[in-house]
Amino acid sequence: MAAPASSAGFGGMSSDNAKGLALAVSSSAFIGASFIVKKMGLRRAADSGVRAGYGGYSYLVEPLWWIGMISMIVGEIANFAAYAFAPAILVTPLGALSIIISAALAHSILQEKLHTFGILGCALCVVGSITIALHAPQERDIDSVREVWDLATEPAFLSYAAIVVVAALVLIYFVVPQHGQTNIMVYIGVCSLLGSLTVMSVKALGIALKLTFSGVNQLYYPQTWAFALIVATCVSTQINYLNKALDTFNTAVVSPIYYVMFTSLTIIASVIMFKDWDRQNPTQIVTEMCGFVTILSGTFLLHKTKDMNDSTGPTLSTRRPKHASQNAFAIEILPLKYQDAADDETLPLSLPKADNRYLMEELPLRYKDLNMA
């Protein structure tokens, strides 16, 4: 029989939920730091090869990227363990802590400035997450991985999984090639959609290992290995598209948007698969919905922060093109979000444009020769 829902604070948590909370907090610390270290590795790799955002894989030989990757793996292992002890509605929202860590480190290390309203947006995300966590249901009692498999193969969750897979494939094969470099929601959408399936499979594996370590072996069930295969497939795809998002867009914007989309879809998947809301009263459900609204409000502020930053200075930058005409000097216009990737040869927009002579005075000799004709 499922354990009754509890609306008590942290002091009234069950032992398992308290363990899940501690593991989730430590997971957020490692994952939040990993965003920054991986971004530093991606920047270094871009100096010697094709950028990840354009399909390059030079970051695979960059030590910093691997340090960040190891940090993320440690965080994910802690997160993996947390799902074995506590429900997804409790564990997943605590990922908001990684937003605070990554935003603070991006501000101080990567010089990716976060507007005051962006800080407020992060705070709202945390408040909403805490609201959800305080009213999360207790973990339901499960005695075998086959019980999880039965839940995963019910028509409601199978329908959800089919919608997620189809949407992810459409994004990957039709939307990414045309809009991946210009719309932040494309890469993050792929990661978040598949992430919700990853968490459900991770939770199943966590339960299987927890039962195995307690003396009830679950490793001989084929369902355990089926969940492991789903995890491996989804995680590898997520890593690829998360790298593209981090390399293309501002880290302080990527991490909170990814968090909100991933958290929302994961909780929806958990509600469908584990029927979490069936064990809660209307007051708890409404409070959790208010937490979602608070999180979404924080996301809106983070989006507006990006727009406000865009409007406080020049919205376009120019840099020397790879190929110039023999009769004229062409100016390449770059969107603001790529400014952090521009090389040291970037030219300020304030230079006069009406007369190429002013530009030519600042260019190396090899570019002057192009206009000698």
Side-chain angles (χ1 to χ4, degrees), residues 293-361:
V293 172
T294 305
I295 291 175
L296 294 177
S297 299
T299 307
F300 173 77
L301 277 180
L302 286 165
H303 273 293
K304 294 304 293 182
T305 295
K306 179 171 66 70
D307 296 337
M308 290 174 67
N309 285 341
D310 289 353
S311 62
T312 56
T315 57
L316 296 174
S317 66
T318 60
R319 73 178 179 188
R320 288 189 293 275
K322 296 179 180 179
H323 305 287
S325 168
Q326 290 187 352
N327 297 322
F329 177 76
I331 299 176
E332 182 180 355
I333 304 299
L334 300 177
L336 178 65
K337 58 176 170 289
Y338 298 111
Q339 284 185 355
D340 64 335
D343 53 29
D344 295 334
E345 297 178 351
T346 300
L347 297 176
L349 187 64
S350 58
L351 286 174
K353 298 184 294 183
D355 192 339
N356 283 347
R357 290 177 302 171
Y358 295 95
L359 288 169
M360 299 301 293
E361 290 175 1

